[in-house]
Amino acid sequence: MRAKWALVTGAGKRLGLEAARALARRGYDILAHVNGSTEGASALRDELAPAGRRVHVIQADLSTAAGQEALVVQTKTCTSTLDAIVHNAGIFERVPFAEIDRARYDRMQAINCEAPFFITQGLLGELRAAETSCVVHVTDIAAERPLSAYAHYSVSKASLLMLTRALAVELAPAVRVNAVAPGTVMFPEDFDEATRTRFLARIPLGREGSASDVAAAVAYLVCDAPFVTGQVIAVDGGRSVAL
Ligand SMILES: NC(=O)c1ccc[n+]([C@@H]2O[C@H](COP(=O)([O-])OP(=O)(O)OC[C@H]3O[C@@H](n4cnc5c(N)ncnc54)[C@H](OP(=O)(O)O)[C@@H]3O)[C@@H](O)[C@H]2O)c1
């Protein structure tokens, strides 16, 4: 049987690492993209080797067109068929609207939206070469319900949400395209205790989510949802319906 390959961006830590692990458990070999977290992806390779799963680590800075193209080129050298892409890499930063200069805005769009756009485009031949394939975008509930002082972030995730729907229509029936929209899943490392308490108070299920909560939704969309495309699954403990 042909090996199944999944490309996961930002696979060296946190949500991306857990999504890669979940897909490996479901029988996928992994193209683990990292920018700086090479150690996490290498550890994943060692962890999965005894089970016979292959992990190729690909380094690329997705903030530039050259970095996005490099990821496409390196992926093509690893495989001619691609069964899934999980676009997880992203940046998140709190900046009041008046202080978002063009460099910050452009970087946010490049990593959070342009990278998924042009990487999927660059790998379309490999996706279509697989019998069935899919793309999963990791968006955010803030794509539809903005957070104050995150305008450039919210715009980038809203663009990614529309890309999900646009590609679901255009790439069907060969390629399914869906999204997972986390709420507060793993707090950014720089959130202080007061901010964490404030966020938790708004989550009906009463807890911060976990990387495995998101990974389970990714695995569902990749492995168990052959008749689902153009959809967004919120993994947010109910926060988006309680607003
Ligand atoms: N955590 C949450 O509660 C939450 C909520 C809503 C949405 N999300 C979304 O879920 C995704 C993962 O979240 P997370 O919390 O795991 O994020 P994170 O800890 O901030 O990690 C960001 C990931 O993006 C990659 N990345 C950052 N800058 C990059 C660049 N210039 N080029 C290539 N890759 C780059 C990082 O790669 P390296 O580590 O290799 O540098 C890392 O894997 C993101 O898209 C985020 O917006 C998360």
Side-chain angles (χ1 to χ4, degrees):
M1 206 172 75
R2 181 179 70 75
K4 289 187 293 181
W5 284 100
L7 167 63
V8 181
T9 67
K13 66 179 182 183
R14 287 167 52 98
L15 304 196
L17 178 61
E18 201 53 39
R21 190 177 273 130
L23 293 181
R25 287 199 195 107
R26 298 296 300 268
Y28 286 78
D29 290 324
I30 304 296
L31 299 166
H33 157 266
V34 297
N35 185 30
S37 298
T38 312
E39 273 181 27
S42 301
L44 181 69
R45 184 177 53 210
D46 297 344
E47 175 190 321
L48 297 175
R53 290 270 71 85
R54 288 173 291 177
V55 176
H56 287 318
V57 181
I58 301 176
Q59 195 282 329
D61 178 354
L62 302 184
S63 67
T64 66
Q68 296 159 17
E69 281 157 25
L71 176 53
V72 167
V73 169
Q74 290 184 71
T75 300
K76 287 174 191 273
T77 66
C78 294
T79 180
S80 57
T81 56
L82 193 55
D83 300 273
I85 305 177
V86 180
H87 289 290
N88 162 80
I91 57 171
F92 177 73
E93 61 177 2
R94 183 178 196 286
V95 187
F97 175 65
E99 294 167 28
I100 300 171
D101 60 19
R102 197 165 283 276
R104 275 190 189 283
Y105 180 88
D106 288 348
R107 182 174 167 77
M108 185 65 76
Q109 301 312 313
I111 297 169
N112 287 12
C113 187
E114 289 169 22
F117 188 110
F118 288 106
I119 291 165
T120 295
Q121 187 187 67
L123 294 171
L124 207 45
E126 286 68 23
L127 287 166
R128 285 179 166 148
E131 200 179 320
T132 59
S133 60
C134 67
V135 172
V136 177
H137 295 141
V138 180
T139 60
D140 191 311
I141 57 170
E144 297 187 273
R145 295 165 190 82
L147 292 166
S148 180
Y150 292 88
H152 59 335
Y153 174 78
S154 299
V155 167
S156 75
K157 292 296 190 179
S159 300
L160 193 56
L161 171 60
M162 182 48 74
L163 185 64
T164 306
R165 293 173 176 154
L167 294 190
V169 171
E170 187 165 344
L171 302 186
V175 185
R176 294 181 300 110
V177 185
N178 291 290
V180 174
T184 304
V185 167
M186 289 180 80
F187 286 121
E189 282 148 10
D190 60 352
F191 269 25
D192 61 23
E193 211 43 51
T195 310
R196 288 172 192 237
T197 305
R198 194 160 41 82
F199 271 73
L200 284 177
R202 295 192 225 134
I203 302 174
L205 291 183
R207 67 169 175 89
E208 173 193 13
S210 67
S212 57
D213 289 323
V214 175
V218 170
Y220 163 72
L221 289 170
V222 172
C223 307
D224 300 320
F227 198 52
V228 177
T229 197
Q231 302 306 307
V232 183
I233 300 180
V235 179
D236 67 350
R239 183 172 166 203
S240 55
V241 291
L243 288 178

